[in-house]
């Protein structure tokens, strides 16, 4: 699959796979950011893409983002579909700081993957489901 990409800065590394480790691709801060605890900022990621028709990008924090920078992604997952493809549609990471922090240009702060859109779904209302009852979400315990 070929995806057109525009870089807004030459100060971040070009996007690439990390061979044999994951099919997610790291995204980097495109500017230096200083946040105090309780502050919010849309951190520019320095890229825009033209995704193929029928595809979307899912953006999530890296597993080390909170440990390294003390920020969480405010919407918990970013979703960029193929209509977000204009020349100025730079991707951003919506960060909320839980402690004072500094993020520097080129720091890896989040990751993305490209996925097909969900197929069209028709819902069929029923009175009973035939699967085994597992107790609902959160019912599997701590261990």
């Amino acid at each position: 699959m070929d995806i057109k990409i525009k870089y807004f800065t030459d100060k971040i590394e070009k996007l690439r796979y990390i061979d044999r480790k994951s099919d997610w691709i790291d995204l980097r801060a495109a500017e230096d950011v200083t946040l105090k605890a309780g502050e919010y900022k849309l951190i520019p990621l320095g890229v825009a893409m033209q995704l193929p028709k029928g595809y979307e990008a899912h953006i999530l924090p890296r597993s080390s983002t909170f440990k390294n920078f003390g920020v969480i992604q405010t919407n918990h997952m970013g979703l960029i579909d193929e209509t977000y493809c204009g020349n100025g549609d730079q991707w951003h990471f919506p960060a909320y700081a839980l402690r004072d922090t500094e993020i520097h240009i080129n720091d890896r702060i989040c990751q993305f993957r490209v996925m097909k859109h969900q197929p069209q779904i028709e819902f069929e209302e029923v009175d009973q489901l035939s699967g085994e009852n597992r107790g609902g979400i959160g019912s599997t315990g701590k261990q």
Side-chain angles (χ1 to χ4, degrees):
M1 175 183 305
D2 292 329
I3 295 177
K4 293 180 181 177
I5 184 168
K6 175 185 174 179
Y7 288 93
F8 289 82
T9 179
D10 61 358
K11 295 179 180 177
I12 59 171
E13 289 185 31
K14 304 289 188 198
L15 299 188
R16 62 182 172 83
Y17 278 109
I18 301 174
D19 294 334
R20 292 184 285 290
K21 289 190 176 183
S22 175
D23 62 351
W24 289 77
I25 300 169
D26 289 337
L27 293 163
R28 298 167 180 274
E31 67 180 37
D32 288 329
V33 174
T34 300
L35 293 169
K36 299 283 186 199
E39 290 185 333
Y40 165 83
K41 179 168 178 63
L42 279 173
I43 300 174
L45 299 171
V47 297
M49 294 181 213
Q50 190 170 349
L51 301 174
K53 184 172 176 46
Y55 286 83
E56 61 197 25
H58 297 180
I59 301 174
L60 295 166
R62 296 180 75 243
S63 60
S64 61
T65 298
F66 181 75
K67 176 183 66 113
N68 291 339
F69 305 109
V71 298
I72 57 173
Q73 184 173 349
T74 58
N75 57 347
H76 304 289
M77 182 179 114
L79 177 64
I80 298 175
D81 68 27
E82 76 272 21
T83 65
Y84 192 70
C85 61
N87 199 43
D89 285 334
Q90 180 173 195
W91 293 11
H92 289 78
F93 180 78
Y96 180 77
L98 295 173
R99 62 173 163 84
D100 294 357
T101 190
E102 289 185 6
I103 299 170
H104 300 288
I105 290 175
N106 210 41
D107 282 343
R108 296 179 300 160
I109 58 172
C110 56
Q111 57 192 335
F112 81 101
R113 72 183 318 175
V114 175
M115 304 288 293
K116 274 190 156 187
H117 288 311
Q118 177 171 283
Q120 185 66 37
I121 294 174
E122 298 292 329
F123 292 100
E124 176 187 351
E125 187 173 341
V126 297
D127 291 327
Q128 298 288 323
L129 299 174
S130 61
E132 180 183 341
N133 185 355
R134 293 187 52 207
I137 192 167
S139 64
T140 59
K142 289 185 178 181
Q143 300 184 19

